[in-house]
Amino acid sequence: MRQAILATLLLSAAGVATAQTKPAISVETLKTVTQTLASDAYEGRAPTTPGEDKTVAYIVERFKAAGLKPGNKGSWFQDVPMVEITATDVQPMTFTGGATPLSLAYRTDMVAGTYRVTPGIAVKDSEVVFVGYGITAPEKGWDDYAGVDVRGKTVVILVNDADWQVQGREGPFEGRAMTWYGRWPYKFENAAKHGAAAAIIVHQTEPAAYPWAVVQSSWTGPQLELDEAGDHMDQSQVIGWIQQASAQALFRSAGKDLDALTRAAQTKGFKAVPLGVKMSTGFANTIRRQASKNVIGVLPGTTAPGETVLYSGHWDHLGRCDAVDGDDICNGAADNATGIAGLVALAEAQVKAGPAKRSIAFLAVTAEESGLLGSRYYAEHPVFPLSRTVGGVNMDVLNVVGPVKDFVLTGAGKSEIEDLAKPLVAAQGRTISPEANPERGSYYRSDHFSFAKLGVPMLSGGSGQDQVEGGVAAGHAAREDYVANRYHKPSDEYDPNWNWGGAIQDLNVYYALGRKLADDTGLWPNWYPTAEFRAIRDQSRAKTK
């Protein structure tokens, strides 16, 4: 039965693919919006700064011009309560009790911060325990904290999953593909649940998916968290990262071999290892509470306006960051001024096509770079009920290197949204390719994940690496160049020579998919039965029947 239903969806989607690539997506809109938001005048679009005020005002201006209506009961905005914590006077992270005392310098050797909203943090002589990958997964029979009490202690954790080096998808944690257990937010969250005073992740470029420079720029300066009751005092006092070389020195001082213990941690049944050393560090916190804003526009539906299709993208970036050649503004042109430009261009196209049966909402969210905070807040406080949100598309970094022959579904194998997208891609003469770097855990690193966790299937996918000009080699080189030289750096700036052909390909897929979801009121894509989000979707939908 399920195969028959999916076949019907495929044929239906394929039948509208060609017709629904019009009206044309405006390249001029893509260029203008991206160049504007990525200009120095917007100061890197950090939330709760003057750069935010300019950013959200400009997005509203463009939404109005596109013909959208205010999406939140007559307002363009949803206030997102934030608390900004800036660590100051950060003390070196010292380790004593080993063969050689170690003192790790802030920024160069380690970064440290806290989720706790408190004037200061001081951890002194905290026993250090290596907990492997820091995973507790009862359904997999895996618990790196089994048999050890880490309350008040410092845990040292490896990045990614235990099987990230396995080629293919075989393994307890889906092999090469990162799962939620491999992401740093999970590791800090799990450490706190076990009572750890401090949680320190060992940075390695390949399994982390970015170099130390990204950690340094992202984890220093003002840090944002949702302003919630309890001031996050249930979290560890210190969260942070250390360079791999520093970790190796620490383990040698403790008479241990990091490489050998890493291999041991990749096996089920691994037992945490006390290192016999103690960690101390501390810092003061400057605290500022202030609301940031999600921007919401809507094209109201005609016959089913209470049912919603959602397009999303994050407007924020890092603001002022570590200077490179005198430039300290992380402009975030590709990440994610391009995504907001795509959001505006799609709004223009959908309005020109006229209202669909269902409402189409356009959501520009804040604080993605701080841990998906804006989308998380919206998902937990939805303007349009999630039980009546059909699904949608999230956009995070559009292709600006030119047309490609393929399309990649991020986190493939999770929802029926994929089955609707595939014929739209095929109608363009493109093929579906697997993720080139599934170990990077991209599915868990952007705003669609906030909706997925609460049951709403969102497409996360876009151009692959098989470029029309240059093939896979050119596409791979362009991707690696971006990650190494521009991602989360001041050099992510607008380039008038960008080739928007690939972005247009993808945006036409997004347009057609959104239109199909909005006009076919009998369509309610679900998660596949094996997906971790299926149960919550079923529960949510049951309430509306």
Side-chain angles (χ1 to χ4, degrees):
M1 176 62 73
R2 176 175 175 271
Q3 289 181 336
I5 292 172
L6 291 182
T8 300
L9 294 180
L10 290 170
L11 291 171
S12 179
V16 300
T18 302
Q20 292 185 344
T21 55
K22 303 295 182 182
I25 303 296
S26 170
V27 175
E28 189 58 35
T29 291
L30 297 176
K31 292 179 177 179
T32 301
V33 174
T34 301
Q35 184 174 16
T36 300
L37 292 177
S39 69
D40 283 356
Y42 286 71
E43 302 179 76
R45 305 190 308 279
T48 75
T49 70
E52 164 166 351
D53 297 335
K54 294 179 181 179
T55 299
V56 298
Y58 180 70
I59 295 172
V60 169
E61 176 187 323
R62 295 300 306 228
F63 277 4
K64 284 181 179 178
L68 298 180
K69 303 297 182 184
N72 187 10
K73 302 177 179 66
S75 172
W76 291 101
F77 301 118
Q78 179 187 46
D79 284 343
V80 181
M82 296 280 192
V83 57
E84 178 187 275
I85 306 172
T86 305
T88 60
D89 190 26
V90 180
Q91 302 302 303
M93 187 177 290
T94 62
F95 296 88
T96 58
T100 305
L102 294 178
S103 180
L104 305 185
Y106 182 53
R107 302 171 69 88
T108 55
D109 301 323
M110 64 86 176
V111 293
T114 188
Y115 291 133
R116 293 191 178 196
V117 186
T118 183
I121 292 291
V123 174
K124 185 174 177 57
D125 293 334
S126 170
E127 295 180 24
V128 180
V129 181
F130 174 62
V131 294
Y133 288 87
I135 295 171
T136 302
E139 77 282 6
K140 298 177 183 294
W142 192 290
D143 186 1
D144 289 327
Y145 287 89
V148 62
D149 183 357
V150 299
R151 287 176 292 181
K153 298 177 182 179
T154 295
V155 293
V156 176
I157 311 169
L158 297 170
V159 70
N160 212 309
D161 296 318
D163 55 358
W164 72 270
Q165 291 174 298
V166 174
Q167 299 302 316
R169 302 295 291 266
E170 298 300 320
F173 298 96
E174 299 184 26
R176 189 70 170 168
M178 183 190 287
T179 69
W180 174 234
Y181 294 118
R183 289 286 291 140
W184 58 260
Y186 166 80
K187 294 177 187 293
F188 290 145
E189 174 186 299
N190 198 36
K193 287 180 179 178
H194 285 86
I200 310 299
I201 295 175
V202 177
H203 175 264
Q204 291 176 277
T205 297
E206 186 178 2
Y210 37 75
W212 179 256
V214 173
V215 176
Q216 182 175 306
S217 63
S218 303
W219 286 81
T220 54
Q223 303 291 301
L224 291 172
E225 186 48 84
L226 293 181
D227 191 2
E228 298 176 322
D231 285 338
H232 305 288
M233 297 302 286
D234 58 341
Q235 298 300 305
S236 299
Q237 293 181 65
V238 174
I239 55 174
W241 297 68
I242 59 175
Q243 289 259 38
Q244 184 179 10
S246 298
Q248 289 170 334
L250 167 62
F251 279 64
R252 282 196 301 270
S253 177
K256 307 293 184 184
D257 183 330
L258 176 58
D259 292 339
L261 286 177
T262 296
R263 289 191 294 271
Q266 294 169 344
T267 304
K268 182 184 287 191
F270 165 79
K271 300 297 183 184
V273 179
L275 297 186
V277 299
K278 296 181 178 181
M279 189 278 289
S280 299
T281 192
F283 45 87
N285 287 322
T286 300
I287 298 168
R288 185 168 69 104
R289 299 178 193 266
Q290 183 174 326
S292 185
K293 287 179 168 60
N294 290 331
V295 186
I296 309 172
V298 65
L299 178 61
T302 55
T303 60
E307 298 176 357
T308 306
V309 175
L310 185 64
Y311 287 110
S312 64
H314 72 92
W315 60 253
D316 67 296
H317 201 57
L318 303 180
R320 294 190 178 271
C321 53
D322 289 340
V324 177
D325 297 329
D327 182 2
D328 71 341
I329 297 177
C330 277
N331 302 82
D335 185 14
N336 187 35
T338 61
I340 296 301
L343 196 66
V344 172
L346 284 170
E348 293 173 345
Q350 294 287 6
V351 171
K352 287 178 183 176
K357 294 178 181 179
R358 289 166 165 160
S359 296
I360 305 176
F362 299 81
L363 178 60
V365 297
T366 183
E368 187 268 357
E369 303 290 5
S370 298
L372 318 184
L373 300 184
S375 57
R376 176 181 136 199
Y377 187 83
Y378 177 91
E380 293 174 354
H381 306 85
V383 172
F384 306 102
L386 297 190
S387 62
R388 300 182 69 80
T389 299
V390 182
V393 179
N394 182 63
M395 291 166 285
D396 196 351
V397 185
L398 298 185
N399 170 11
V400 291
V401 298
V404 295
K405 303 174 186 177
D406 58 344
F407 187 96
V408 173
L409 294 163
T410 307
K414 291 186 181 295
S415 86
E416 293 168 356
I417 284 279
E418 300 170 25
D419 298 302
L420 295 172
K422 287 175 182 177
L424 304 177
V425 172
Q428 295 180 337
R430 291 201 283 171
T431 58
I432 301 294
S433 292
E435 287 183 75
N437 300 103
E439 76 280 4
R440 292 176 177 173
S442 298
Y443 189 82
Y444 305 97
R445 292 170 58 179
S446 195
D447 291 302
H448 59 271
F449 182 55
S450 294
F451 302 106
K453 284 195 297 184
L454 294 181
V456 178
M458 299 279 287
L459 179 73
S460 174
S463 292
Q465 295 186 7
D466 190 2
Q467 291 185 203
V468 171
E469 296 185 7
V472 174
H476 177 75
R479 172 63 180 169
E480 294 306 305
D481 176 68
Y482 170 72
V483 172
N485 298 314
R486 281 177 288 285
Y487 176 63
H488 282 202
K489 296 182 178 69
S491 49
D492 184 5
E493 297 188 291
Y494 175 76
D495 185 344
N497 296 315
W498 278 343
N499 184 333
W500 292 90
I504 293 296
Q505 288 178 308
D506 294 342
L507 288 165
N508 278 323
V509 171
Y510 304 156
Y511 171 86
L513 176 61
R515 202 73 192 182
K516 171 64 179 176
L517 291 171
D519 268 333
D520 187 343
T521 55
L523 187 59
W524 280 96
N526 205 338
W527 302 92
Y528 297 145
T530 56
E532 60 265 52
F533 315 112
R534 175 64 180 250
I536 192 168
R537 176 71 160 181
D538 288 346
Q539 293 168 8
S540 174
R541 288 289 298 132
K543 296 177 182 178
T544 67
K545 296 178 180 178

